[in-house]
Amino acid sequence: MNVGLVSNTFSGITNGNGAIQSAKFTSDGEKFSELIKRLQGQDDGRGTVASSQIAEEGRLNGDYTTGYKGTFVSDADKTAAPVGAAANQANPHIKPSTIDKTSKLYEKSMELEGYFVKQMLSAMRKTVMKAYEGDFATETYEDMLFDEYSTAMTKNAGFGLADQIYLSLV
């Protein structure tokens, strides 16, 4: 790009102040170029970082929910009895099963139960009359709050849906 042409055009638009502004623009551009070259030349041993190195497996960058990973870690959790609806087997001919709550399959079963609980909470939330109409940010943070509510309920309420899902897949 011809800087003189930009300078003259800029001067005509700004009533003569274009030369000063054009010089500042050129100076800023040169400083930025020097900064880029300096950053590209630096190698502090860290290199670049991929998204897979930042986020846990199965999670997205920016996903700040607590999740279910590491919820169950004790040895007793490897041979746990089903709870909730999964414990209420009506058929006496089915032998009682144990659940490995530390497994990846159980973690994914809890995620599915959490999704169902979130859908239930969302439907319940729609029935509540609000005194004011929330903006986009309020709705977003409220939705994030209900995500955490559903996670906490899934971990602690003992619905047993995750247990049923796990037992049906094993």
Side-chain angles (χ1 to χ4, degrees), residues 83-85 113 153-161:
V83 297
E113 179 181 341
M153 287 176 72
T154 300
K155 288 179 181 179
N156 301 313
F159 293 124
L161 184 59

Side-chain angles (χ1 to χ4, degrees), residues 124-139:
M124 293 169 65
R125 193 172 84 191
K126 290 178 184 176
T127 65
V128 177
M129 299 279 293
K130 293 185 179 182
Y132 64 93
E133 191 65 33
D135 59 351
F136 179 74
T138 303
E139 294 292 328

Side-chain angles (χ1 to χ4, degrees), residues 22-40:
S22 178
K24 184 177 182 319
F25 175 74
T26 304
S27 173
D28 288 345
E30 290 171 358
K31 288 179 185 177
F32 183 72
S33 295
E34 289 173 20
L35 175 67
I36 295 296
K37 287 178 186 174
R38 191 173 75 233
L39 289 174
Q40 288 174 341

Side-chain angles (χ1 to χ4, degrees), residues 7-137:
S7 176
N8 291 338
T9 305
F10 203 52
S11 293
I13 295 172
T14 60
N15 296 329
N17 293 329
I20 295 170
Q21 292 175 353
S22 178
K24 184 177 182 319
F25 175 74
T26 304
S27 173
D28 288 345
E30 290 171 358
K31 288 179 185 177
F32 183 72
S33 295
E34 289 173 20
L35 175 67
I36 295 296
K37 287 178 186 174
R38 191 173 75 233
L39 289 174
Q40 288 174 341
Q42 287 181 346
D43 184 14
D44 57 0
R46 291 185 294 178
T48 59
V49 179
S51 297
S52 61
Q53 294 171 309
I54 297 170
E56 295 176 19
E57 181 185 339
R59 295 181 64 127
L60 300 172
N61 285 338
D63 187 5
Y64 298 110
T65 60
T66 53
Y68 301 99
K69 186 173 185 174
T71 302
F72 299 102
V73 292
S74 72
D75 288 336
D77 292 329
K78 292 184 180 193
T79 56
V83 297
N88 300 327
Q89 296 278 338
N91 190 346
H93 302 291
I94 297 176
K95 70 175 190 138
S97 300
T98 59
I99 296 173
D100 182 6
K101 292 187 176 186
T102 61
S103 70
K104 190 79 166 170
L105 178 61
Y106 191 75
E107 181 184 329
K108 296 302 177 184
S109 299
M110 286 182 63
E111 285 181 17
L112 185 58
E113 179 181 341
Y115 176 75
F116 290 136
V117 171
K118 172 73 186 321
Q119 293 302 313
M120 177 187 69
L121 290 176
S122 295
M124 293 169 65
R125 193 172 84 191
K126 290 178 184 176
T127 65
V128 177
M129 299 279 293
K130 293 185 179 182
Y132 64 93
E133 191 65 33
D135 59 351
F136 179 74

